[in-house]
Amino acid sequence: MRFDDIWVAGTGGTLGERVPVERAVACGDYSAEAARSTGQVSVAMSRQAPPEMAVAAGRRAVKSAEDGGAAVGPDTFYLHSHSHFQGVDMWPAACWVAGELLGTELRGMPMSVQAASNGSLGALEIAATVLTARPETPSALITVADRFAPPADRWYLSPGMVFGDGAAAAVLTRGSGQLRLRSLVSETDATLEGLSRGDEPFRTAPQPGADMRGRTRAFLAHGGLSLKDVRRRSAERTRSVVTRALDEAGKSLDEIDWFVTPFVGRALHQDGFVRPFDGYTPRNTLLDLGLTTGHLGPADGLYALHHLIRDDLLAPGATVLVLGTGMGFTFSAAVLTREDTPCVR
């Protein structure tokens, strides 16, 4: 979808302590061979629960937006996204986070977006659509947060990456901001859904320590698709969402200044996100950042935007392409630009 007047007015982010991967290798938690394959240098590990991290990131985003003149308060539309346990079972984490950030009496309903690792762009798409459809809503706030503490095995939860702990947030407004959202496109290939389910039966209660790699192996063994098929279908959907998002934004791939992908290992970054575009070499990426944080679940996309803005890495007129994927299997692409002369509120 093309967006004509949706802006990122403020961002925030927080990470756990960055622990060197060599410690995990020395302890036997992670193999030296896997470390060489991914290129992972360190991984963010937090003692805070995800909602606590979401509040920390959200406060930074709200302050940044308000410093720029945005209105954030009880009328703000709010979404929280996560893919893992939020610290309390059967608990609406979104309501608590919203109460901490926007006040306890809200003129709206805080909601959680369940889009697995595609939560940043999933929530961004919903929030931007709501602002487009509801002129009376002054702003939208998004938080995303996850922690992959035991019994989750952050080192081997999914092939080609290591999972890190962190949170990110963004405030969306109309009129002006730090980045302009030009387009956002999502697609789903439900044929690949079984990669995260395998051949497990439906149960009446959750089981700790999900074996995601085992589920993938079971799917490849019995799902009728080969690994080559999975890679081909994923590449097709990645090319499709990027092509559509660029067309709707009036941009070409050669005009992209920052090519931002999920924070995965070096090999998966190349094979899953660069190689589908034959002969293309990104001008700038955040691969090296991700190799110090690990894959932050749904927070990668918004944390990447926060990093680019906080560290002043975007020249006036710069164009950013953000890619997202999530179990299910969903694919998203967003195009944002730093405008030289933004509108006046």
Side-chain angles (χ1 to χ4, degrees):
M1 180 175 178
R2 173 178 170 173
F3 294 98
D4 294 322
D5 187 27
I6 299 296
W7 300 74
V8 177
T11 61
T14 188
L15 296 172
E17 177 189 359
R18 298 193 206 194
V19 179
V21 164
E22 59 190 27
R23 292 190 194 173
V25 173
C27 294
D29 293 331
Y30 196 45
S31 76
E33 180 182 1
R36 285 191 296 270
S37 175
T38 61
Q40 199 70 37
V41 176
S42 59
V43 62
M45 302 174 101
S46 178
R47 295 184 179 181
Q48 284 189 309
E52 294 174 310
M53 291 190 287
V55 169
R59 284 175 176 156
R60 294 185 178 100
V62 169
K63 182 179 186 307
S64 175
E66 290 180 335
D67 287 347
V72 183
D75 290 313
T76 295
F77 179 72
Y78 172 68
L79 295 172
H80 178 60
S81 184
H82 62 91
S83 64
H84 200 48
F85 183 56
Q86 295 292 284
V88 177
D89 256 332
M90 298 184 68
W91 170 62
C95 289
W96 181 79
V97 178
E100 294 291 311
L101 296 175
L102 302 173
T104 55
E105 296 185 11
L106 307 177
R107 288 184 283 274
M109 179 171 61
M111 290 178 280
S112 292
V113 176
Q114 295 291 344
S117 292
N118 207 0
S120 277
L121 294 190
L124 186 62
E125 183 173 3
I126 295 170
T129 302
V130 166
L131 286 186
T132 300
R134 298 182 188 174
E136 73 279 7
T137 301
S139 58
L141 171 63
I142 300 165
T143 60
V144 282
D146 260 326
R147 180 176 65 168
F148 299 92
D153 184 354
R154 69 174 73 247
W155 306 103
Y156 293 109
L157 191 57
S158 186
M161 66 188 83
V162 177
F163 282 69
D165 306 336
V171 173
L172 303 186
T173 58
R174 305 180 197 84
S176 66
Q178 297 171 332
L179 284 174
R180 182 178 178 182
L181 177 63
R182 307 302 297 268
S183 65
L184 203 164
V185 169
S186 296
E187 296 181 7
T188 301
D189 186 349
T191 305
L192 305 179
E193 169 274 326
L195 286 166
S196 53
R197 178 175 48 86
D199 55 6
E200 293 190 18
F202 293 115
R203 301 183 177 92
T204 58
Q207 288 191 335
D211 181 7
M212 302 304 296
R213 286 180 172 235
R215 294 177 183 178
T216 298
R217 288 193 295 268
F219 175 77
L220 293 175
H222 308 295
L225 292 179
S226 67
L227 183 57
K228 182 178 180 180
D229 293 329
V230 170
R231 289 172 172 167
R232 174 182 56 79
R233 297 180 76 99
S234 296
E236 289 171 352
R237 295 276 67 76
T238 298
R239 283 193 297 270
S240 181
V241 294
V242 167
T243 299
R244 290 176 56 201
L246 290 172
D247 286 348
E248 292 183 6
K251 298 287 184 178
S252 70
L253 197 56
D254 290 337
E255 293 178 281
I256 297 303
D257 298 289
W258 286 90
F259 185 82
V260 177
T261 72
F263 294 162
V264 297
R266 195 175 298 279
L268 186 53
H269 167 82
Q270 182 67 29
D271 293 341
F273 301 104
V274 179
R275 189 163 293 166
F277 305 97
D278 295 334
Y280 174 66
T281 300
R283 195 171 301 163
N284 295 290
T285 75
L286 292 178
L287 172 62
D288 289 340
L289 171 66
L291 294 179
T292 70
T293 66
H295 175 48
L296 305 174
D300 286 353
L302 288 187
Y303 190 86
L305 293 181
H306 171 63
H307 174 82
L308 291 172
I309 292 171
R310 180 196 62 194
D311 289 13
D312 196 24
L313 298 176
L314 299 174
T319 299
V320 183
L321 174 66
V322 183
L323 279 69
T325 61
M327 295 183 299
F329 211 93
T330 67
F331 303 81
S332 298
V335 178
L336 303 99
T337 55
R338 178 182 170 186
E339 303 290 302
D340 290 306
T341 54
C343 304
V344 178
R345 292 188 199 279

